[in-house]
Amino acid sequence: MIKKLFSFWQKEDGVKDADRLMQAIDRERLPKHIAIIMDGNGRWAQRRGMPRPYGHKAGVESLRDIVKVCNQLKIPVLTVYAFSTENWKRPREEVNALMDLLVQYVYQEIDDLDQNKVQVRAIGRIHKLPEKCRRAVAFARERTADNDGLIFNLALNYGGRSELVDATRAIAKKVLAQQISVENIDEQLISSHLYTAGLPDPDLLIRPSGDFRISNFLIWQLAYTEFWLTDVMWPDFRREDLLRAICDYQNRERRFGGLKRGNNKR
Ligand code: IPE
Ligand code: IPE
Ligand code: MG
């Protein structure tokens, strides 16, 4: 009974939970790149009888906490899916609310991000975003360009397929200009023409909110990424969920198509 009460208290007390998980994490085997599909905002709001943008606003609190803890842990790269190339299909009011929120987020958080040495970047067809968003993104990028902490990639108007289209076009232009030959095209060359050029592929992908799909996110880069899915909606997602995902990740065996370690004998 006492044990039961104790575990209930532990579960309820997020801070204690986070402390315990922090200690359980092996600092030598942290993921080098974590990718997150920040999903579930709309359902979270609707369950509370509120309009969907209310959920997007609440999701910003989760993002703040997750960026902070990734930086504390010295995770090199965090990429968050904030707006997909398909999200334009949503009602105009929701799209506008998301764009306004992006601008608000940047100007509100920039001092804190900069002080914590976070380097803000953006991936996606940024040039197709409304001007105020482009300006906010450029401002954040320039202001934090020399920081050497967490690389924080915002995936905005991002689609894995459009990323591959853009890379293919860039490569084709170089072939036509005779800067490279067709024989030069290999996996490394393709990777170096993606928006994520120079960054390691994600080790861990997190999708909250109970859906089991990648929704056009980093389709090339996720080839051997470990997936971690949870029913927790993004606005409820906090550091203890991230730490739990990292602990789980550290207990997995990645084989990359090879065999289990120690099983390489004939
Ligand atoms: C994710 O939450 C945020 C964006 C796609 C911009 P959703 O808005 O997709 O929330 P659900 O999945 O409908 O609950
Ligand atoms: C993926 O979520 C995009 C973002 C979180 C930005 P969606 O809600 O758009 O994905 P689907 O439509 O459920 O696949
Ligand atoms: Mg969704």
Side-chain angles (χ1 to χ4, degrees), residues 37-39 81-84 87 90 207 211 213 215:
I37 300 177
M38 303 190 291
D39 197 25
Y81 206 5
F83 193 86
S84 76
N87 287 148
R90 296 189 179 196
R207 181 165 191 153
D211 284 327
R213 54 179 172 264
S215 305

Side-chain angles (χ1 to χ4, degrees), residues 10-24:
Q10 267 192 327
K11 238 201 177 98
E12 286 303 293
D13 192 336
V15 179
K16 282 275 173 318
D17 229 14
D19 285 350
R20 194 173 45 79
L21 287 159
M22 264 294 193
Q23 279 165 20

Side-chain angles (χ1 to χ4, degrees), residues 86-148:
E86 288 71 40
N87 287 148
W88 298 108
K89 293 176 192 162
R90 296 189 179 196
R92 197 197 313 202
E93 305 76 59
E94 184 173 346
V95 171
N96 288 343
L98 282 162
M99 297 300 151
D100 288 346
L101 199 59
L102 165 68
V103 175
Q104 209 182 317
Y105 173 77
V106 167
Y107 294 114
Q108 238 167 44
E109 298 299 313
I110 195 68
D111 285 340
D112 203 42
L113 292 167
D114 194 26
Q115 269 159 26
N116 286 298
K117 300 276 172 248
V118 173
Q119 193 187 124
V120 183
R121 296 189 190 178
I123 59 169
R125 289 185 171 162
I126 307 300
H127 59 285
K128 294 271 171 70
L129 289 173
E131 209 211 321
K132 61 181 181 199
C133 299
R134 291 200 311 266
R135 255 193 277 133
V137 166
F139 168 71
R141 247 187 189 150
E142 282 159 29
R143 168 94 184 262
T144 62
D146 295 329
N147 289 345
D148 58 2

Side-chain angles (χ1 to χ4, degrees), residues 139-255:
F139 168 71
R141 247 187 189 150
E142 282 159 29
R143 168 94 184 262
T144 62
D146 295 329
N147 289 345
D148 58 2
L150 174 75
I151 294 178
F152 173 37
N153 269 328
L154 282 161
L156 297 166
N157 193 21
Y158 174 89
R161 290 185 172 179
S162 56
E163 179 176 38
L164 285 170
V165 168
D166 290 349
T168 308
R169 284 183 184 156
I171 294 169
K173 277 186 191 154
K174 288 185 185 172
V175 172
L176 284 174
Q178 299 188 329
Q179 289 165 354
I180 53 172
S181 69
V182 170
E183 287 69 35
N184 292 141
I185 301 173
D186 58 11
E187 292 181 11
Q188 212 187 334
L189 186 101
I190 293 175
S191 290
S192 71
H193 284 80
L194 299 176
Y195 309 139
T196 52
L199 300 178
D201 288 339
D203 295 306
L204 176 62
L205 171 80
I206 297 172
R207 181 165 191 153
S209 90
D211 284 327
F212 295 2
R213 54 179 172 264
I214 58 173
S215 305
N216 202 13
F217 192 37
L218 302 172
I219 53 181
W220 171 279
Q221 298 89 332
L222 294 178
Y224 272 104
T225 302
E226 295 294 326
F227 283 29
W228 196 82
L229 307 161
T230 173
D231 287 338
V232 173
M233 298 280 151
W234 177 248
D236 290 329
F237 194 97
R238 285 295 182 276
R239 61 178 55 211
E240 51 275 20
D241 301 296
L242 178 83
L243 298 172
R244 214 167 277 132
I246 296 175
C247 282
D248 265 12
Y249 160 84
Q250 292 188 327
N251 283 317
R252 296 190 190 174
E253 184 176 74
R254 303 179 75 187
R255 293 188 289 280

